[in-house]
Amino acid sequence: MTAIQEAQDRPRGARLPRSARREQLLGAAQEVFVAQGYHAAAMDDIAERAGVSKPVLYQHFPGKLELYLALLDKHCDALVEATRAALDATTDNKLRVAATMQAYFDYVASESGSFRLVFESDLTNEPAVRERVERAADLSATLVSKVIAEDTDLPETEAKLLAAGVCGLAQITARYWLSQGREIPREEAVRLVASLAWRGLKGFPMHPGDQAPDGGQPAVTD
């Protein structure tokens, strides 16, 4: 249910708990920011979308930037946690790559369009926004790099570079896929991109402790 529907369905004069009101305001703000961008959005628009007065909106958020940053925190955290869940879902590295790609495609494909606040913000010249977006990208890459470093002989810095490439590949291809009208079914798109990433990553030697008894590399299937 959207913030507009919540406002319409709520009995006139009904009061919400503070936490519920905050979530409602965030939902309304998200709809406005995604549709209009930061600069074109107005607090009047958000208050109207939420079905509240501007004083109520300002009771929860002192200004438009603070409201935007609260949303950005929420959706940056969601991306990092989706990456973490993908990596924790299995110990099979090929499946981990596929799960990571799936997480990014699912994130971008969400009907809310919230990914635009993270990947396509019109406010990246604002230091607080840039810091949050860069932190989310770094945290996601760090999660992936730990897996790469644990399973290969690569130094941490090199593993982090590869991880940033994996996450960047996932993000850019997911957004391109969406911009092309989802011409390829999502699962097939994920399979294609995951296959590309895995064919590159599997070429790096496994950690010596994971080598086969004869000293060779464990068999890695396509």
Coordinates of all heavy atoms in Angstrom, one line a residue, residues 29-30 32-41 64-65 67-73 75-76 79 107-108 113-134 136 171 175:
A29 N 7.6 10.5 1.1 CA 8.8 11.2 0.6 C 9.5 10.4 -0.5 O 9.9 10.9 -1.5 CB 9.8 11.5 1.7
Q30 N 9.5 9.1 -0.3 CA 10.1 8.2 -1.3 C 9.4 8.3 -2.6 O 10.0 8.4 -3.7 CB 10.1 6.8 -0.8 CG 10.7 5.8 -1.8 CD 10.7 4.4 -1.3 OE1 11.3 4.2 -0.2 NE2 10.2 3.4 -2.0
V32 N 7.7 10.8 -3.8 CA 7.9 12.1 -4.4 C 9.3 12.2 -4.9 O 9.6 12.7 -6.0 CB 7.6 13.2 -3.4 CG1 8.0 14.6 -3.9 CG2 6.1 13.2 -3.0
F33 N 10.3 11.8 -4.1 CA 11.7 11.9 -4.6 C 12.0 11.1 -5.8 O 12.7 11.5 -6.7 CB 12.7 11.6 -3.4 CG 12.8 12.6 -2.3 CD1 12.7 12.3 -1.0 CD2 13.0 13.9 -2.7 CE1 12.9 13.2 0.0 CE2 13.1 14.9 -1.7 CZ 13.0 14.5 -0.3
V34 N 11.5 9.9 -5.8 CA 11.7 9.0 -6.9 C 11.1 9.6 -8.2 O 11.6 9.5 -9.3 CB 11.1 7.6 -6.7 CG1 11.1 6.7 -7.9 CG2 12.0 6.9 -5.6
A35 N 9.9 10.1 -8.1 CA 9.2 10.7 -9.2 C 9.7 12.0 -9.7 O 9.8 12.2 -10.9 CB 7.7 10.8 -8.9
Q36 N 10.2 12.8 -8.8 CA 10.5 14.2 -9.1 C 12.0 14.5 -9.0 O 12.5 15.5 -9.5 CB 9.8 15.2 -8.3 CG 8.2 15.1 -8.4 CD 7.5 16.1 -7.6 OE1 8.0 17.1 -7.2 NE2 6.2 15.8 -7.3
G37 N 12.8 13.7 -8.2 CA 14.1 14.0 -7.9 C 14.2 15.0 -6.7 O 13.1 15.5 -6.3
Y38 N 15.3 15.1 -6.2 CA 15.4 16.0 -4.9 C 15.1 17.4 -5.2 O 14.3 18.0 -4.5 CB 16.9 15.9 -4.4 CG 17.0 16.7 -3.1 CD1 16.7 16.2 -1.9 CD2 17.6 18.0 -3.2 CE1 16.8 17.0 -0.8 CE2 17.7 18.8 -2.1 CZ 17.3 18.3 -0.9 OH 17.5 19.1 0.2
H39 N 15.7 18.0 -6.2 CA 15.6 19.4 -6.4 C 14.2 19.9 -6.8 O 13.7 20.9 -6.4 CB 16.6 19.9 -7.5 CG 18.0 19.7 -7.1 ND1 18.6 20.4 -6.1 CD2 19.0 18.9 -7.6 CE1 19.8 20.1 -6.0 NE2 20.1 19.1 -6.9
A40 N 13.4 19.1 -7.5 CA 12.1 19.4 -7.9 C 11.0 19.1 -6.8 O 9.9 19.7 -6.9 CB 11.7 18.7 -9.2
A41 N 11.4 18.3 -5.9 CA 10.4 17.9 -4.8 C 10.3 19.0 -3.8 O 11.3 19.8 -3.5 CB 10.9 16.6 -4.1
K64 N 14.2 19.2 4.2 CA 14.1 18.3 3.1 C 15.4 17.4 3.0 O 15.3 16.2 2.7 CB 13.9 19.0 1.8 CG 13.7 18.1 0.6 CD 13.2 18.9 -0.7 CE 14.3 19.7 -1.3 NZ 13.9 20.2 -2.7
L65 N 16.5 18.0 3.3 CA 17.8 17.2 3.2 C 17.8 16.1 4.2 O 18.1 14.9 3.9 CB 19.0 18.1 3.4 CG 20.3 17.4 3.4 CD1 20.6 16.6 2.0 CD2 21.5 18.4 3.6
L67 N 15.3 14.6 5.5 CA 14.3 13.6 5.1 C 14.9 12.7 4.0 O 14.8 11.5 4.0 CB 13.0 14.3 4.6 CG 11.9 13.4 4.1 CD1 11.5 12.4 5.1 CD2 10.7 14.3 3.8
Y68 N 15.6 13.3 3.1 CA 16.2 12.6 2.0 C 17.3 11.7 2.5 O 17.4 10.5 2.1 CB 16.8 13.6 1.0 CG 17.3 13.0 -0.3 CD1 16.4 12.8 -1.4 CD2 18.6 12.6 -0.5 CE1 16.9 12.2 -2.6 CE2 19.1 12.0 -1.7 CZ 18.2 11.9 -2.7 OH 18.6 11.3 -3.9
L69 N 18.1 12.2 3.5 CA 19.2 11.4 4.0 C 18.7 10.2 4.8 O 19.3 9.1 4.8 CB 20.1 12.2 4.9 CG 20.9 13.3 4.2 CD1 21.7 14.1 5.2 CD2 21.8 12.7 3.2
A70 N 17.5 10.4 5.5 CA 16.9 9.3 6.2 C 16.5 8.2 5.3 O 16.7 7.0 5.6 CB 15.7 9.8 7.0
L71 N 16.0 8.5 4.1 CA 15.6 7.6 3.1 C 16.8 6.9 2.5 O 16.8 5.7 2.3 CB 14.8 8.3 2.0 CG 13.3 8.3 2.1 CD1 12.8 9.2 0.9 CD2 12.7 7.0 2.1
L72 N 17.8 7.7 2.3 CA 19.0 7.1 1.7 C 19.7 6.1 2.6 O 20.1 5.1 2.2 CB 20.0 8.3 1.4 CG 21.2 8.0 0.4 CD1 20.7 7.5 -0.9 CD2 22.0 9.3 0.2
D73 N 19.7 6.4 3.9 CA 20.3 5.5 4.9 C 19.5 4.2 4.8 O 20.1 3.1 4.8 CB 20.1 6.1 6.3 CG 21.2 7.1 6.6 OD1 22.3 7.1 6.0 OD2 21.0 7.9 7.5
H75 N 17.8 2.8 2.4 CA 17.9 2.0 1.2 C 19.4 1.6 0.9 O 19.6 0.6 0.3 CB 17.3 2.8 0.0 CG 15.8 2.9 0.1 ND1 15.0 1.8 0.1 CD2 15.0 4.0 0.2 CE1 13.7 2.2 0.3 NE2 13.7 3.5 0.3
C76 N 20.3 2.4 1.4 CA 21.7 1.9 1.3 C 21.9 0.7 2.2 O 22.6 -0.3 1.8 CB 22.6 3.1 1.8 SG 22.9 4.4 0.5
L79 N 20.6 -2.4 0.6 CA 21.4 -3.0 -0.4 C 22.6 -3.8 0.2 O 22.9 -4.9 -0.3 CB 22.0 -1.8 -1.3 CG 23.1 -2.3 -2.3 CD1 22.5 -3.2 -3.4 CD2 23.7 -1.0 -3.0
Y107 N 16.9 -5.7 -6.3 CA 17.0 -4.4 -5.7 C 16.5 -3.3 -6.8 O 15.7 -2.4 -6.5 CB 18.4 -4.1 -5.2 CG 18.6 -2.8 -4.5 CD1 18.2 -2.6 -3.2 CD2 19.2 -1.7 -5.1 CE1 18.4 -1.4 -2.5 CE2 19.3 -0.5 -4.5 CZ 18.9 -0.4 -3.1 OH 19.1 0.8 -2.5
V108 N 17.1 -3.4 -8.0 CA 16.8 -2.5 -9.0 C 15.4 -2.6 -9.6 O 14.7 -1.7 -9.9 CB 17.8 -2.6 -10.2 CG1 17.4 -1.8 -11.4 CG2 19.2 -2.1 -9.7
G113 N 11.1 1.8 -7.0 CA 12.0 2.6 -7.7 C 13.1 3.2 -6.7 O 13.8 4.2 -7.1
S114 N 13.2 2.7 -5.5 CA 14.0 3.3 -4.5 C 15.5 3.3 -4.9 O 16.3 4.1 -4.4 CB 13.8 2.7 -3.2 OG 14.0 1.3 -3.2
F115 N 15.9 2.3 -5.8 CA 17.3 2.3 -6.2 C 17.8 3.6 -6.8 O 18.9 3.9 -6.8 CB 17.5 1.1 -7.2 CG 17.1 1.5 -8.6 CD1 18.0 2.0 -9.5 CD2 15.7 1.3 -9.1 CE1 17.6 2.3 -10.9 CE2 15.4 1.7 -10.3 CZ 16.3 2.1 -11.2
R116 N 16.8 4.4 -7.4 CA 17.2 5.6 -8.0 C 17.8 6.6 -7.0 O 18.6 7.5 -7.4 CB 16.0 6.2 -8.7 CG 15.4 5.3 -9.8 CD 14.4 6.0 -10.7 NE 13.8 5.1 -11.6 CZ 14.3 4.7 -12.7 NH1 15.5 5.1 -13.1 NH2 13.6 3.8 -13.5
L117 N 17.3 6.5 -5.8 CA 17.9 7.4 -4.7 C 19.4 7.1 -4.5 O 20.1 7.9 -4.1 CB 17.1 7.2 -3.4 CG 15.6 7.5 -3.5 CD1 15.0 7.2 -2.1 CD2 15.3 8.9 -3.9
V118 N 19.7 5.8 -4.7 CA 21.1 5.4 -4.4 C 22.0 5.5 -5.6 O 23.1 6.0 -5.5 CB 21.1 3.9 -3.9 CG1 22.5 3.4 -3.6 CG2 20.2 3.8 -2.6
F119 N 21.5 5.0 -6.7 CA 22.3 4.9 -7.9 C 22.2 6.1 -8.9 O 23.0 6.3 -9.8 CB 22.1 3.6 -8.7 CG 22.4 2.4 -7.9 CD1 21.6 1.3 -8.0 CD2 23.5 2.3 -7.1 CE1 21.9 0.1 -7.3 CE2 23.8 1.2 -6.4 CZ 23.0 0.1 -6.5
E120 N 21.1 6.8 -8.8 CA 20.8 7.9 -9.8 C 20.4 9.2 -9.1 O 19.6 9.9 -9.7 CB 19.7 7.4 -10.8 CG 20.1 6.1 -11.5 CD 19.0 5.6 -12.4 OE1 17.9 6.2 -12.5 OE2 19.2 4.6 -13.1
S121 N 20.9 9.4 -8.0 CA 20.5 10.6 -7.2 C 21.0 11.9 -8.0 O 22.0 11.9 -8.6 CB 21.2 10.6 -5.8 OG 20.9 11.8 -5.2
D122 N 20.1 12.9 -7.9 CA 20.5 14.2 -8.5 C 21.1 15.1 -7.4 O 21.2 16.3 -7.6 CB 19.3 14.9 -9.1 CG 18.1 15.2 -8.1 OD1 18.2 14.6 -7.0 OD2 17.2 15.9 -8.4
L123 N 21.6 14.5 -6.3 CA 22.1 15.3 -5.2 C 23.5 14.8 -4.8 O 24.0 14.9 -3.7 CB 21.2 15.2 -4.0 CG 21.4 16.3 -2.9 CD1 21.2 17.7 -3.4 CD2 20.4 16.0 -1.8
T124 N 24.2 14.2 -5.8 CA 25.5 13.6 -5.4 C 26.6 14.7 -5.2 O 27.7 14.3 -4.7 CB 26.0 12.6 -6.5 OG1 26.0 13.3 -7.8 CG2 25.2 11.4 -6.6
N125 N 26.3 15.9 -5.5 CA 27.2 17.0 -5.1 C 27.2 17.4 -3.7 O 28.0 18.1 -3.2 CB 27.0 18.2 -6.0 CG 25.6 18.8 -5.8 OD1 24.7 18.1 -5.5 ND2 25.5 20.1 -6.0
E126 N 26.2 16.8 -3.0 CA 26.0 17.0 -1.5 C 26.9 16.0 -0.8 O 26.7 14.8 -0.9 CB 24.6 16.9 -1.1 CG 24.3 16.7 0.4 CD 24.8 18.0 1.2 OE1 24.5 19.1 0.7 OE2 25.5 17.8 2.2
P127 N 27.9 16.5 0.0 CA 28.8 15.6 0.7 C 28.1 14.5 1.5 O 28.6 13.3 1.4 CB 29.7 16.5 1.5 CG 29.6 17.8 0.8 CD 28.3 17.9 0.2
A128 N 27.1 14.8 2.2 CA 26.4 13.8 3.0 C 25.8 12.7 2.2 O 25.7 11.5 2.6 CB 25.4 14.5 3.9
V129 N 25.3 13.1 1.0 CA 24.7 12.1 0.1 C 25.8 11.2 -0.5 O 25.7 10.0 -0.5 CB 23.9 12.7 -1.0 CG1 23.5 11.7 -2.1 CG2 22.7 13.4 -0.4
R130 N 26.8 11.9 -1.0 CA 27.9 11.1 -1.6 C 28.6 10.2 -0.6 O 28.9 9.0 -1.0 CB 29.0 12.1 -2.2 CG 30.1 11.5 -3.0 CD 30.9 12.5 -3.8 NE 31.5 13.5 -2.9 CZ 31.1 14.8 -2.8 NH1 30.1 15.2 -3.5 NH2 31.7 15.6 -2.0
E131 N 28.8 10.6 0.6 CA 29.4 9.8 1.6 C 28.6 8.5 1.8 O 29.1 7.4 2.0 CB 29.5 10.5 2.9 CG 30.3 9.8 4.0 CD 29.4 8.9 4.9 OE1 28.2 9.2 5.0 OE2 29.9 7.9 5.4
R132 N 27.2 8.6 1.9 CA 26.4 7.4 2.1 C 26.4 6.5 0.9 O 26.5 5.3 1.1 CB 25.0 7.9 2.4 CG 24.8 8.5 3.8 CD 23.5 9.3 4.0 NE 23.2 9.6 5.4 CZ 23.8 10.5 6.1 NH1 24.7 11.3 5.5 NH2 23.4 10.8 7.3
V133 N 26.3 7.0 -0.3 CA 26.4 6.2 -1.5 C 27.7 5.4 -1.6 O 27.7 4.2 -1.8 CB 26.1 7.0 -2.7 CG1 26.3 6.2 -4.0 CG2 24.7 7.6 -2.7
E134 N 28.8 6.2 -1.3 CA 30.1 5.5 -1.4 C 30.3 4.5 -0.3 O 30.9 3.5 -0.5 CB 31.2 6.6 -1.3 CG 31.2 7.5 -2.6 CD 32.2 8.6 -2.5 OE1 32.8 8.8 -1.4 OE2 32.5 9.3 -3.5
A136 N 28.0 2.7 1.1 CA 27.2 1.5 0.7 C 27.9 0.6 -0.3 O 28.0 -0.6 -0.2 CB 25.8 1.8 0.2
Q171 N 25.5 -3.9 -10.6 CA 24.6 -2.6 -10.6 C 24.4 -2.1 -12.0 O 23.2 -1.8 -12.3 CB 25.4 -1.6 -9.7 CG 24.6 -0.3 -9.6 CD 25.4 0.9 -10.0 OE1 25.0 1.7 -10.8 NE2 26.6 1.1 -9.4
R175 N 20.7 -2.0 -14.0 CA 20.1 -0.8 -14.4 C 19.9 -0.7 -15.9 O 18.8 -0.2 -16.4 CB 20.9 0.4 -13.9 CG 20.9 0.6 -12.4 CD 21.9 1.6 -11.9 NE 21.8 2.9 -12.7 CZ 22.8 3.7 -12.8 NH1 24.0 3.5 -12.3 NH2 22.6 4.9 -13.4

